Amino acid sequence: MDAGGSPGLRLFAAVDVPTRQKASVEAAIGPMKAVVPGARWTSPATWHVTLKFFGEVPEPWLEGIREGIGHALAGTGPVESRLMDVGAFPNITRARVLWVGVDDSAGALKALAERINRECVFVEERPLHAHLTLARLKVPADLRSVIERFGPFDLDRDAFVIDRVTLFRSYTERSGSRYEQLGSWALSTGESL
């Protein structure tokens, strides 16, 4: 709730991964779905790399966040990345979130996140760990044997280009999260698409 008592907007800025890479992840983790206890699997259509989680913010802040993202991205350029391995938060022995990593060894995604943080200083800063969330577990589980059984994962590890950042509003529903796109900006110009 915002200061006026009305619900705020739950927002995050993210980048996308190409359909081909998402399809390879979906195929690779498919056999695991029946054996991970208590997992709530996410839809590939919702997979993204969160650069900045704003949390729930008052609606009047939306325009400032949009302007901040545009300013942050001006003068940047497209980013090259690739899929990495499957892992878990906080770790594989007490997994609450199962994910596939997205390479940021050059620090380009981290730099984008830091630029957005500088422009939107009124919201909490969180460290970036580039990943796609595959599943959430209600009860922490030791997934070492599952990962060993199904790995190594046959993922499309070819390089791909990230050329835009999108601002999403997140809605929590019984069936899972639903995302609404509120804006998209080109890397290099910061222009709204």
Side-chain angles (χ1 to χ4, degrees):
M1 299 268 189
D2 68 20
S6 61
L9 305 176
R10 189 172 170 83
L11 304 177
F12 64 91
V15 296
D16 202 7
V17 169
T19 302
R20 190 176 94 192
Q21 276 76 13
K22 288 181 182 179
S24 80
V25 174
E26 188 174 20
I29 66 166
M32 291 175 52
K33 290 185 176 183
V35 298
V36 177
R40 194 161 123 197
W41 295 90
T42 59
S43 165
T46 66
W47 290 347
H48 60 268
V49 179
T50 300
L51 294 179
K52 175 71 176 174
F53 179 69
F54 296 98
E56 193 167 308
V57 301
E59 191 165 352
W61 291 14
L62 178 58
E63 196 51 42
I65 289 172
R66 284 182 174 157
E67 289 176 13
I69 292 171
H71 289 138
L73 301 181
T76 62
V79 172
E80 189 174 276
S81 189
R82 61 182 30 90
L83 295 178
M84 304 208 33
D85 291 320
V86 173
F89 294 134
N91 58 55
I92 207 71
T93 62
R94 293 180 300 123
R96 294 294 305 250
V97 175
L98 187 65
W99 48 259
V100 64
V102 175
D103 182 31
D104 190 33
S105 55
L109 294 173
K110 180 181 178 190
L112 290 175
E114 288 171 351
R115 289 175 73 115
I116 294 170
N117 278 329
R118 281 194 300 274
E119 291 292 333
C120 302
V121 294
F122 50 85
V123 290
E124 178 185 352
E125 182 175 344
R126 296 182 181 191
L128 177 71
H129 184 281
H131 69 281
L132 306 176
T133 298
L134 306 177
R136 291 181 177 85
L137 290 78
K138 288 184 180 180
V139 177
D142 185 341
L143 297 182
R144 285 177 293 187
S145 63
V146 174
I147 298 296
E148 289 169 10
R149 176 177 165 193
F150 293 99
F153 295 91
D154 185 19
L155 303 173
D156 183 334
R157 297 177 194 259
D158 289 345
F160 56 85
V161 174
I162 296 167
D163 63 359
R164 71 187 60 212
V165 172
T166 303
L167 178 66
F168 289 98
R169 180 177 183 183
S170 174
Y171 298 87
T172 304
E173 301 174 342
R174 287 183 72 133
S175 59
S177 294
R178 177 175 61 87
Y179 305 130
E180 174 188 6
Q181 183 176 319
L182 299 181
S184 192
W185 294 263
L187 292 176
S188 75
T189 64
E191 295 289 321
S192 184
L193 299 173

